[in-house]
Each structure stands twice: as structure tokens, then as C-alpha cells.
Amino acid sequence: MKPSHLIFGLAALGALLAGGCKSVEYSAANDPNRVLIGTVTFMQPTTLPPDAEVLVRVVDRHPQPANMDIGGIPSPDRLPLLSQPQTAAALAAAGPETLGEQIVRNPGSSPVVFRVEYRAEDDLLRRGLNIEVRISYGGRLRLFNANQYEVGLNDVNDPHAVEADPVH
């Protein structure tokens, strides 16, 4: 009879210890300081003039208000401000948020290498961030990325290739 009490006691102790492990987080928190690397390619012109500038930005197109969680529900620890309405019009007026940018002056010919430092938590990268490229010279915007390029949590450490197209 004694071995059954011992087995029952060990099983109960194991269940008690295993139940406490549910709240333990095994993955380390990722550093929100990020670096986007990659290249900008373009076909025409083959070489940019000396006054050319390539602007590469990491942009959050739909930033959440400071007192909202990702789902748009107010967080219990951040109450909404009564002086700032949280309407759809107010959220749309906020516009995109630039998280980081780099300007490459006198880049020469294609491809142009870039490195943009920015800050983004994992939750923000799960939604995806846009990569924008603008190439200007002669005082005018000449090339930009007509297609949408994104960086997300699954490819945050990969190099990104962005193609710039002429402005028509």
C-alpha cells in the first residue's frame, strides 16, 4: 500500500509544478532596435548625377494611438484621453509614421546599398512595415518604388531589394 501513496504524492507534486510553468515565458524578449539592410535598383538612368539623393524610409502606414492595443481596444493600463477623441477621422488624420530613414548622397549607379536603423516591437512587425524609396536630383523627384515593399517579423533580418521606377 505504501508505493501507491508515494506514486500518488509524486503525481500530485508533478501536476502542481507543471501548472506553474504555464505562465513562464521561455523565449527572450527581442530587442526593438532594428536595422534594415538592402539595395535599391533602377534601370533608367544607368548612372545618377552627382546631386542625386536616395531616401530610404521604414514607415508604419497605420500607427495605433498611444492608448490603444493592436486590436484597437483601449488597454487597461492606458485610459483614453478625454481631450483627444478616438474617432476614425482622428486616427486617419494622424497619418503614417516614419520609424527610420537614411539619405544616400551621390549614390552613383545601380544598385545602391542602404542601411536604415529604426525601432519597432515584435507586435508592430507582425502587422508589417512599409519600405519607401525616393530618388531625386535636379531639384525634382525622379524615381520611387511604385510597388509596395514590406518588412515583417519573418524577414526582419533579411536583406531587402527594392526597385525604383521613373515618375511619370
Side-chain angles (χ1 to χ4, degrees):
M1 296 265 196
K2 276 199 168 231
S4 65
H5 292 294
L6 181 63
I7 291 173
F8 177 73
L10 288 176
L13 180 63
L16 180 65
L17 292 176
C21 294
K22 185 168 76 172
S23 63
V24 175
E25 192 172 313
Y26 293 107
S27 62
N30 288 332
D31 185 11
N33 296 316
R34 316 282 181 161
V35 177
L36 177 72
I37 58 170
T39 57
V40 175
T41 59
F42 48 89
M43 300 300 278
Q44 294 294 329
T46 55
T47 303
L48 297 173
D51 68 335
E53 291 184 346
V54 177
L55 170 66
V56 182
R57 297 189 300 181
V58 176
V59 177
D60 181 8
R61 283 275 181 219
H62 306 287
Q64 297 292 321
N67 65 335
M68 295 285 189
D69 280 339
I70 297 298
I73 301 168
S75 193
D77 60 332
R78 295 175 289 195
L79 297 174
L81 300 175
L82 297 177
S83 62
Q84 297 177 354
Q86 299 298 323
T87 63
L91 296 176
E97 179 184 359
T98 300
L99 302 177
E101 68 180 28
Q102 180 195 18
I103 298 175
V104 180
R105 290 175 172 58
N106 191 9
S109 60
S110 180
V112 177
V113 177
F114 65 84
R115 181 179 191 276
V116 179
E117 295 179 5
Y118 65 102
R119 184 172 176 83
E121 300 286 338
D122 286 351
D123 289 339
L124 190 59
L125 284 166
R126 281 187 190 97
R127 290 188 297 147
L129 301 172
N130 288 49
I131 304 170
E132 291 184 355
V133 171
R134 305 284 184 258
I135 301 176
S136 58
Y137 54 89
R140 293 181 47 204
L141 176 66
R142 305 295 178 142
L143 302 156
F144 74 110
N145 61 307
N147 295 325
Q148 182 174 333
Y149 295 89
E150 286 189 343
V151 59
L153 193 56
N154 62 339
D155 61 353
V156 70
N157 296 321
D158 298 340
H160 290 76
V162 180
E163 186 175 334
D165 303 306
V167 174
H168 295 289

